[in-house]
Amino acid sequence: AKLDELAGKIKAAGKVDTIRVIGHADKTGKASSNMKLSQKRAAAVASYLKAQGVKAGKIITAGKGDTEQVVQCDAKLPKAELIACHGPNRRVEVEVTVAK
């Protein structure tokens, strides 16, 4: 639902210069795997936006891996709690630049 709302706002925004779709992962696992996962997250969101009619030529995707954590979690937490704690780190950010 949030992506549908975003796609509608982008299409209504007028002249869009760029749409940066940036994927992120949590610290669980290897850094190389997290980088690939973050890139796949970004690509999935970009693909969805394109399917909703957002111009593909304006979309730039990137993965940041696990380099930009928004919350820090104690690795000693029980597994289920650790997974829940890391939830905010697993995300996709979309930055839209509109021409003046």
Side-chain angles (χ1 to χ4, degrees):
K2 288 183 181 183
L3 289 177
D4 290 337
E5 181 181 343
L6 176 62
K9 287 181 179 181
I10 291 170
K11 291 188 289 186
K15 185 168 168 83
V16 173
D17 282 337
T18 58
I19 303 163
R20 293 195 57 196
V21 181
I22 305 158
H24 298 272
D26 64 34
K27 292 264 184 198
T28 305
K30 295 181 182 179
S32 60
S33 297
N34 290 338
M35 179 58 75
K36 289 176 187 173
L37 179 58
S38 69
Q39 291 167 338
K40 286 181 181 180
R41 282 192 175 120
V45 169
S47 178
Y48 188 85
L49 291 174
K50 291 173 193 174
Q52 299 308 308
V54 174
K55 292 183 181 177
K58 303 289 184 179
I59 300 175
I60 302 166
T61 62
K64 297 279 185 155
D66 58 17
T67 62
E68 295 181 6
Q69 303 293 285
V70 292
V71 295
Q72 301 301 317
C73 302
D74 183 351
K76 296 176 186 173
L77 288 171
K79 186 174 182 177
E81 288 180 40
L82 185 60
I83 289 169
C85 178
H86 275 302
N89 294 324
R90 298 182 297 272
R91 67 195 188 282
V92 174
E93 297 172 340
V94 180
E95 301 169 359
V96 180
T97 305
V98 180
K100 293 183 179 180

mmCIF file with all atom_site columns, all heavy atoms in Angstrom, residues 34-49:
data_model
loop_
_atom_site.group_PDB
_atom_site.id
_atom_site.type_symbol
_atom_site.label_atom_id
_atom_site.label_alt_id
_atom_site.label_comp_id
_atom_site.label_asym_id
_atom_site.label_entity_id
_atom_site.label_seq_id
_atom_site.pdbx_PDB_ins_code
_atom_site.Cartn_x
_atom_site.Cartn_y
_atom_site.Cartn_z
_atom_site.occupancy
_atom_site.B_iso_or_equiv
_atom_site.pdbx_formal_charge
_atom_site.auth_seq_id
_atom_site.auth_comp_id
_atom_site.auth_asym_id
_atom_site.auth_atom_id
_atom_site.pdbx_PDB_model_num
ATOM 1   N N   . ASN A 1 34 ? 24.959 -9.493  2.484   1.00 0.00 ? 34 ASN A N   1
ATOM 2   C CA  . ASN A 1 34 ? 24.094 -8.368  2.830   1.00 0.00 ? 34 ASN A CA  1
ATOM 3   C C   . ASN A 1 34 ? 24.073 -7.320  1.717   1.00 0.00 ? 34 ASN A C   1
ATOM 4   O O   . ASN A 1 34 ? 23.044 -6.704  1.459   1.00 0.00 ? 34 ASN A O   1
ATOM 5   C CB  . ASN A 1 34 ? 24.513 -7.749  4.157   1.00 0.00 ? 34 ASN A CB  1
ATOM 6   C CG  . ASN A 1 34 ? 24.208 -8.659  5.324   1.00 0.00 ? 34 ASN A CG  1
ATOM 7   O OD1 . ASN A 1 34 ? 23.359 -9.536  5.240   1.00 0.00 ? 34 ASN A OD1 1
ATOM 8   N ND2 . ASN A 1 34 ? 24.916 -8.476  6.422   1.00 0.00 ? 34 ASN A ND2 1
ATOM 9   N N   . MET A 1 35 ? 25.209 -7.148  1.055   1.00 0.00 ? 35 MET A N   1
ATOM 10  C CA  . MET A 1 35 ? 25.260 -6.202  -0.061  1.00 0.00 ? 35 MET A CA  1
ATOM 11  C C   . MET A 1 35 ? 24.341 -6.683  -1.185  1.00 0.00 ? 35 MET A C   1
ATOM 12  O O   . MET A 1 35 ? 23.537 -5.915  -1.724  1.00 0.00 ? 35 MET A O   1
ATOM 13  C CB  . MET A 1 35 ? 26.685 -6.033  -0.578  1.00 0.00 ? 35 MET A CB  1
ATOM 14  C CG  . MET A 1 35 ? 26.795 -5.076  -1.756  1.00 0.00 ? 35 MET A CG  1
ATOM 15  S SD  . MET A 1 35 ? 26.185 -3.415  -1.421  1.00 0.00 ? 35 MET A SD  1
ATOM 16  C CE  . MET A 1 35 ? 27.503 -2.779  -0.424  1.00 0.00 ? 35 MET A CE  1
ATOM 17  N N   . LYS A 1 36 ? 24.431 -7.964  -1.520  1.00 0.00 ? 36 LYS A N   1
ATOM 18  C CA  . LYS A 1 36 ? 23.578 -8.522  -2.570  1.00 0.00 ? 36 LYS A CA  1
ATOM 19  C C   . LYS A 1 36 ? 22.099 -8.414  -2.183  1.00 0.00 ? 36 LYS A C   1
ATOM 20  O O   . LYS A 1 36 ? 21.268 -8.063  -3.014  1.00 0.00 ? 36 LYS A O   1
ATOM 21  C CB  . LYS A 1 36 ? 23.944 -9.984  -2.844  1.00 0.00 ? 36 LYS A CB  1
ATOM 22  C CG  . LYS A 1 36 ? 25.272 -10.152 -3.540  1.00 0.00 ? 36 LYS A CG  1
ATOM 23  C CD  . LYS A 1 36 ? 25.624 -11.610 -3.703  1.00 0.00 ? 36 LYS A CD  1
ATOM 24  C CE  . LYS A 1 36 ? 27.029 -11.762 -4.245  1.00 0.00 ? 36 LYS A CE  1
ATOM 25  N NZ  . LYS A 1 36 ? 27.453 -13.160 -4.259  1.00 0.00 ? 36 LYS A NZ  1
ATOM 26  N N   . LEU A 1 37 ? 21.796 -8.698  -0.925  1.00 0.00 ? 37 LEU A N   1
ATOM 27  C CA  . LEU A 1 37 ? 20.420 -8.620  -0.454  1.00 0.00 ? 37 LEU A CA  1
ATOM 28  C C   . LEU A 1 37 ? 19.888 -7.194  -0.551  1.00 0.00 ? 37 LEU A C   1
ATOM 29  O O   . LEU A 1 37 ? 18.765 -6.968  -1.001  1.00 0.00 ? 37 LEU A O   1
ATOM 30  C CB  . LEU A 1 37 ? 20.331 -9.124  0.988   1.00 0.00 ? 37 LEU A CB  1
ATOM 31  C CG  . LEU A 1 37 ? 18.958 -9.090  1.640   1.00 0.00 ? 37 LEU A CG  1
ATOM 32  C CD1 . LEU A 1 37 ? 17.953 -9.913  0.843   1.00 0.00 ? 37 LEU A CD1 1
ATOM 33  C CD2 . LEU A 1 37 ? 19.044 -9.595  3.067   1.00 0.00 ? 37 LEU A CD2 1
ATOM 34  N N   . SER A 1 38 ? 20.703 -6.220  -0.165  1.00 0.00 ? 38 SER A N   1
ATOM 35  C CA  . SER A 1 38 ? 20.257 -4.822  -0.232  1.00 0.00 ? 38 SER A CA  1
ATOM 36  C C   . SER A 1 38 ? 20.032 -4.383  -1.678  1.00 0.00 ? 38 SER A C   1
ATOM 37  O O   . SER A 1 38 ? 19.093 -3.636  -1.970  1.00 0.00 ? 38 SER A O   1
ATOM 38  C CB  . SER A 1 38 ? 21.253 -3.898  0.476   1.00 0.00 ? 38 SER A CB  1
ATOM 39  O OG  . SER A 1 38 ? 22.480 -3.815  -0.222  1.00 0.00 ? 38 SER A OG  1
ATOM 40  N N   . GLN A 1 39 ? 20.865 -4.869  -2.583  1.00 0.00 ? 39 GLN A N   1
ATOM 41  C CA  . GLN A 1 39 ? 20.682 -4.544  -4.004  1.00 0.00 ? 39 GLN A CA  1
ATOM 42  C C   . GLN A 1 39 ? 19.396 -5.178  -4.540  1.00 0.00 ? 39 GLN A C   1
ATOM 43  O O   . GLN A 1 39 ? 18.669 -4.552  -5.321  1.00 0.00 ? 39 GLN A O   1
ATOM 44  C CB  . GLN A 1 39 ? 21.898 -5.022  -4.808  1.00 0.00 ? 39 GLN A CB  1
ATOM 45  C CG  . GLN A 1 39 ? 23.145 -4.216  -4.505  1.00 0.00 ? 39 GLN A CG  1
ATOM 46  C CD  . GLN A 1 39 ? 24.423 -4.853  -5.038  1.00 0.00 ? 39 GLN A CD  1
ATOM 47  O OE1 . GLN A 1 39 ? 24.486 -6.061  -5.280  1.00 0.00 ? 39 GLN A OE1 1
ATOM 48  N NE2 . GLN A 1 39 ? 25.456 -4.041  -5.207  1.00 0.00 ? 39 GLN A NE2 1
ATOM 49  N N   . LYS A 1 40 ? 19.095 -6.400  -4.107  1.00 0.00 ? 40 LYS A N   1
ATOM 50  C CA  . LYS A 1 40 ? 17.866 -7.067  -4.534  1.00 0.00 ? 40 LYS A CA  1
ATOM 51  C C   . LYS A 1 40 ? 16.642 -6.343  -3.987  1.00 0.00 ? 40 LYS A C   1
ATOM 52  O O   . LYS A 1 40 ? 15.629 -6.228  -4.676  1.00 0.00 ? 40 LYS A O   1
ATOM 53  C CB  . LYS A 1 40 ? 17.856 -8.526  -4.081  1.00 0.00 ? 40 LYS A CB  1
ATOM 54  C CG  . LYS A 1 40 ? 18.788 -9.412  -4.879  1.00 0.00 ? 40 LYS A CG  1
ATOM 55  C CD  . LYS A 1 40 ? 18.712 -10.845 -4.399  1.00 0.00 ? 40 LYS A CD  1
ATOM 56  C CE  . LYS A 1 40 ? 19.651 -11.730 -5.186  1.00 0.00 ? 40 LYS A CE  1
ATOM 57  N NZ  . LYS A 1 40 ? 19.585 -13.131 -4.740  1.00 0.00 ? 40 LYS A NZ  1
ATOM 58  N N   . ARG A 1 41 ? 16.729 -5.854  -2.760  1.00 0.00 ? 41 ARG A N   1
ATOM 59  C CA  . ARG A 1 41 ? 15.612 -5.091  -2.186  1.00 0.00 ? 41 ARG A CA  1
ATOM 60  C C   . ARG A 1 41 ? 15.341 -3.841  -3.012  1.00 0.00 ? 41 ARG A C   1
ATOM 61  O O   . ARG A 1 41 ? 14.201 -3.529  -3.333  1.00 0.00 ? 41 ARG A O   1
ATOM 62  C CB  . ARG A 1 41 ? 15.921 -4.693  -0.744  1.00 0.00 ? 41 ARG A CB  1
ATOM 63  C CG  . ARG A 1 41 ? 15.736 -5.785  0.248   1.00 0.00 ? 41 ARG A CG  1
ATOM 64  C CD  . ARG A 1 41 ? 15.778 -5.272  1.689   1.00 0.00 ? 41 ARG A CD  1
ATOM 65  N NE  . ARG A 1 41 ? 15.462 -6.381  2.557   1.00 0.00 ? 41 ARG A NE  1
ATOM 66  C CZ  . ARG A 1 41 ? 16.255 -6.857  3.499   1.00 0.00 ? 41 ARG A CZ  1
ATOM 67  N NH1 . ARG A 1 41 ? 17.415 -6.277  3.736   1.00 0.00 ? 41 ARG A NH1 1
ATOM 68  N NH2 . ARG A 1 41 ? 15.892 -7.879  4.218   1.00 0.00 ? 41 ARG A NH2 1
ATOM 69  N N   . ALA A 1 42 ? 16.408 -3.125  -3.344  1.00 0.00 ? 42 ALA A N   1
ATOM 70  C CA  . ALA A 1 42 ? 16.256 -1.903  -4.137  1.00 0.00 ? 42 ALA A CA  1
ATOM 71  C C   . ALA A 1 42 ? 15.670 -2.232  -5.513  1.00 0.00 ? 42 ALA A C   1
ATOM 72  O O   . ALA A 1 42 ? 14.766 -1.541  -5.989  1.00 0.00 ? 42 ALA A O   1
ATOM 73  C CB  . ALA A 1 42 ? 17.598 -1.194  -4.285  1.00 0.00 ? 42 ALA A CB  1
ATOM 74  N N   . ALA A 1 43 ? 16.173 -3.289  -6.133  1.00 0.00 ? 43 ALA A N   1
ATOM 75  C CA  . ALA A 1 43 ? 15.683 -3.675  -7.461  1.00 0.00 ? 43 ALA A CA  1
ATOM 76  C C   . ALA A 1 43 ? 14.209 -4.072  -7.415  1.00 0.00 ? 43 ALA A C   1
ATOM 77  O O   . ALA A 1 43 ? 13.449 -3.760  -8.336  1.00 0.00 ? 43 ALA A O   1
ATOM 78  C CB  . ALA A 1 43 ? 16.531 -4.820  -8.020  1.00 0.00 ? 43 ALA A CB  1
ATOM 79  N N   . ALA A 1 44 ? 13.789 -4.751  -6.354  1.00 0.00 ? 44 ALA A N   1
ATOM 80  C CA  . ALA A 1 44 ? 12.387 -5.164  -6.227  1.00 0.00 ? 44 ALA A CA  1
ATOM 81  C C   . ALA A 1 44 ? 11.468 -3.951  -6.120  1.00 0.00 ? 44 ALA A C   1
ATOM 82  O O   . ALA A 1 44 ? 10.417 -3.904  -6.763  1.00 0.00 ? 44 ALA A O   1
ATOM 83  C CB  . ALA A 1 44 ? 12.211 -6.077  -5.016  1.00 0.00 ? 44 ALA A CB  1
ATOM 84  N N   . VAL A 1 45 ? 11.871 -2.954  -5.341  1.00 0.00 ? 45 VAL A N   1
ATOM 85  C CA  . VAL A 1 45 ? 11.050 -1.746  -5.213  1.00 0.00 ? 45 VAL A CA  1
ATOM 86  C C   . VAL A 1 45 ? 11.022 -0.981  -6.533  1.00 0.00 ? 45 VAL A C   1
ATOM 87  O O   . VAL A 1 45 ? 9.972  -0.522  -6.974  1.00 0.00 ? 45 VAL A O   1
ATOM 88  C CB  . VAL A 1 45 ? 11.549 -0.861  -4.051  1.00 0.00 ? 45 VAL A CB  1
ATOM 89  C CG1 . VAL A 1 45 ? 10.883 0.510   -4.070  1.00 0.00 ? 45 VAL A CG1 1
ATOM 90  C CG2 . VAL A 1 45 ? 11.283 -1.564  -2.719  1.00 0.00 ? 45 VAL A CG2 1
ATOM 91  N N   . ALA A 1 46 ? 12.184 -0.859  -7.187  1.00 0.00 ? 46 ALA A N   1
ATOM 92  C CA  . ALA A 1 46 ? 12.237 -0.170  -8.480  1.00 0.00 ? 46 ALA A CA  1
ATOM 93  C C   . ALA A 1 46 ? 11.342 -0.869  -9.496  1.00 0.00 ? 46 ALA A C   1
ATOM 94  O O   . ALA A 1 46 ? 10.601 -0.214  -10.237 1.00 0.00 ? 46 ALA A O   1
ATOM 95  C CB  . ALA A 1 46 ? 13.680 -0.116  -8.990  1.00 0.00 ? 46 ALA A CB  1
ATOM 96  N N   . SER A 1 47 ? 11.372 -2.181  -9.527  1.00 0.00 ? 47 SER A N   1
ATOM 97  C CA  . SER A 1 47 ? 10.542 -2.951  -10.441 1.00 0.00 ? 47 SER A CA  1
ATOM 98  C C   . SER A 1 47 ? 9.058  -2.703  -10.168 1.00 0.00 ? 47 SER A C   1
ATOM 99  O O   . SER A 1 47 ? 8.258  -2.536  -11.095 1.00 0.00 ? 47 SER A O   1
ATOM 100 C CB  . SER A 1 47 ? 10.868 -4.439  -10.313 1.00 0.00 ? 47 SER A CB  1
ATOM 101 O OG  . SER A 1 47 ? 10.058 -5.208  -11.150 1.00 0.00 ? 47 SER A OG  1
ATOM 102 N N   . TYR A 1 48 ? 8.690  -2.663  -8.908  1.00 0.00 ? 48 TYR A N   1
ATOM 103 C CA  . TYR A 1 48 ? 7.295  -2.413  -8.550  1.00 0.00 ? 48 TYR A CA  1
ATOM 104 C C   . TYR A 1 48 ? 6.863  -1.020  -8.987  1.00 0.00 ? 48 TYR A C   1
ATOM 105 O O   . TYR A 1 48 ? 5.775  -0.841  -9.542  1.00 0.00 ? 48 TYR A O   1
ATOM 106 C CB  . TYR A 1 48 ? 7.083  -2.599  -7.044  1.00 0.00 ? 48 TYR A CB  1
ATOM 107 C CG  . TYR A 1 48 ? 5.623  -2.547  -6.674  1.00 0.00 ? 48 TYR A CG  1
ATOM 108 C CD1 . TYR A 1 48 ? 4.841  -3.683  -6.755  1.00 0.00 ? 48 TYR A CD1 1
ATOM 109 C CD2 . TYR A 1 48 ? 5.027  -1.355  -6.283  1.00 0.00 ? 48 TYR A CD2 1
ATOM 110 C CE1 . TYR A 1 48 ? 3.482  -3.642  -6.442  1.00 0.00 ? 48 TYR A CE1 1
ATOM 111 C CE2 . TYR A 1 48 ? 3.675  -1.305  -5.976  1.00 0.00 ? 48 TYR A CE2 1
ATOM 112 C CZ  . TYR A 1 48 ? 2.911  -2.450  -6.050  1.00 0.00 ? 48 TYR A CZ  1
ATOM 113 O OH  . TYR A 1 48 ? 1.576  -2.390  -5.761  1.00 0.00 ? 48 TYR A OH  1
ATOM 114 N N   . LEU A 1 49 ? 7.710  -0.026  -8.737  1.00 0.00 ? 49 LEU A N   1
ATOM 115 C CA  . LEU A 1 49 ? 7.373  1.345   -9.145  1.00 0.00 ? 49 LEU A CA  1
ATOM 116 C C   . LEU A 1 49 ? 7.194  1.431   -10.662 1.00 0.00 ? 49 LEU A C   1
ATOM 117 O O   . LEU A 1 49 ? 6.265  2.081   -11.150 1.00 0.00 ? 49 LEU A O   1
ATOM 118 C CB  . LEU A 1 49 ? 8.446  2.327   -8.667  1.00 0.00 ? 49 LEU A CB  1
ATOM 119 C CG  . LEU A 1 49 ? 8.519  2.548   -7.158  1.00 0.00 ? 49 LEU A CG  1
ATOM 120 C CD1 . LEU A 1 49 ? 9.713  3.423   -6.808  1.00 0.00 ? 49 LEU A CD1 1
ATOM 121 C CD2 . LEU A 1 49 ? 7.231  3.140   -6.618  1.00 0.00 ? 49 LEU A CD2 1
#
